[in-house]
Amino acid sequence: MRHRTRVKICGITNHNDLAQVAAAGADALGFVFYPPSPRYVEPGRAAELLSGLPPFVVSVGLFVNPTAQELQTTLQQCPLQLLQFHGDESASQCAQLAALVQRPFLKAFRVRADTKPDDLLECERIYRDASPLFNGLLLDTYVDGYGGSGKVFDWSLIPKELAPRVVLSGGLSVQNVTGAVSQVRPFAVDISSGVEAAKGIKDEEKVRAFIRAVQDADNIPGC
């Protein structure tokens, strides 16, 4: 049975991008609640944007080391469906925060040059054991600071048994995503800067080309 790789477009900041990205066929849209990011949206603004979200398109909130109060306040204003913890949150912290607002969550694992395949498997086990609300790992490239890296890591580090459960991120583009999906076979891919005209502004043609490139990988015979 052919697998359809899901696509998340992160860093949505305005109504026009939201409408165009949803119409292009994205499965999930990401909203950044990390003030230092150029793609940051205030909770009230995000709530306005979510009012235009079509059915069956998932809203994902990206947080970096949020306090319980910050998360609760955001969710009171903005009905996000899925949380993405992108900081240094431990498994127990993620479990407590997710339980507080009763939302499932992804945990970003920032892959270093010395990361081993067993590290990824062990991390997934720890977070899955910590919470029934854990949905999976998002794999990004390690850089100083937080947020998207825009850089590729060594995809061969991803264990074959883990790949169908992960969200692949980090340096993906229209040019490399067909190869990435063909090699890794992740459940989903995540992109932000690779489909932008400027920071926080999406390029509709790049978004459509990226989704087509993912579909091209899914249509490769035998994959």
Side-chain angles (χ1 to χ4, degrees), residues 95-152:
Q96 291 168 9
L97 289 167
L100 179 68
V101 294
Q102 281 300 293
R103 295 292 194 282
F105 70 94
L106 298 170
K107 180 65 179 83
F109 185 110
R110 299 187 294 157
V111 180
R112 298 174 180 261
D114 61 352
T115 296
K116 297 177 175 59
D118 284 347
D119 296 336
L120 300 177
L121 291 169
E122 178 67 6
C123 180
E124 188 204 36
R125 184 193 64 76
I126 290 170
Y127 278 85
R128 195 169 299 284
D129 287 350
S131 173
L133 293 170
F134 174 68
N135 263 194
L137 294 178
L138 181 146
L139 304 182
D140 199 358
T141 309
Y142 180 86
V143 291
D144 291 334
Y146 301 105
S149 68
K151 297 181 179 180
V152 172

Side-chain angles (χ1 to χ4, degrees), residues 9-26 29-31 41 45-46 48-54 57 195-198 200-208:
I9 307 293
C10 198
I12 301 298
T13 63
N14 62 80
H15 283 289
N16 186 57
D17 285 353
L18 184 148
Q20 290 182 346
V21 168
L29 274 58
F31 301 86
V41 287
R45 173 61 173 162
E48 293 176 9
L49 295 175
L50 287 184
S51 68
L53 194 68
V57 178
V195 289
E196 287 184 330
I201 306 297
K202 300 309 178 196
D203 182 310
E204 182 181 8
E205 287 307 310
K206 287 182 180 179
V207 170
R208 291 186 177 276

Side-chain angles (χ1 to χ4, degrees), residues 153-203:
F153 65 89
D154 181 1
W155 300 324
S156 69
L157 293 171
I158 305 171
K160 294 291 186 185
E161 62 269 37
L162 177 64
R165 302 192 293 275
V166 303
V167 179
L168 181 63
S169 186
L172 295 179
S173 67
V174 174
Q175 291 73 30
N176 68 15
V177 74
T178 300
V181 171
S182 299
Q183 177 181 333
V184 177
R185 290 294 157 192
F187 180 78
V189 291
D190 181 16
I191 190 169
S192 181
S193 61
V195 289
E196 287 184 330
K199 289 184 178 180
I201 306 297
K202 300 309 178 196
D203 182 310

Side-chain angles (χ1 to χ4, degrees), residues 4 8 16 30 35-36 44 55 64-65 75 83 87 91 103 114 144 159 162 165 170 180 184 192 211 213-214 216 222:
R4 183 176 75 81
K8 172 176 170 270
N16 186 57
V64 175
N65 303 324
L75 269 292
L83 309 176
R103 295 292 194 282
D114 61 352
D144 291 334
L162 177 64
R165 302 192 293 275
V184 177
S192 181
I211 293 174
V214 173
D216 287 345

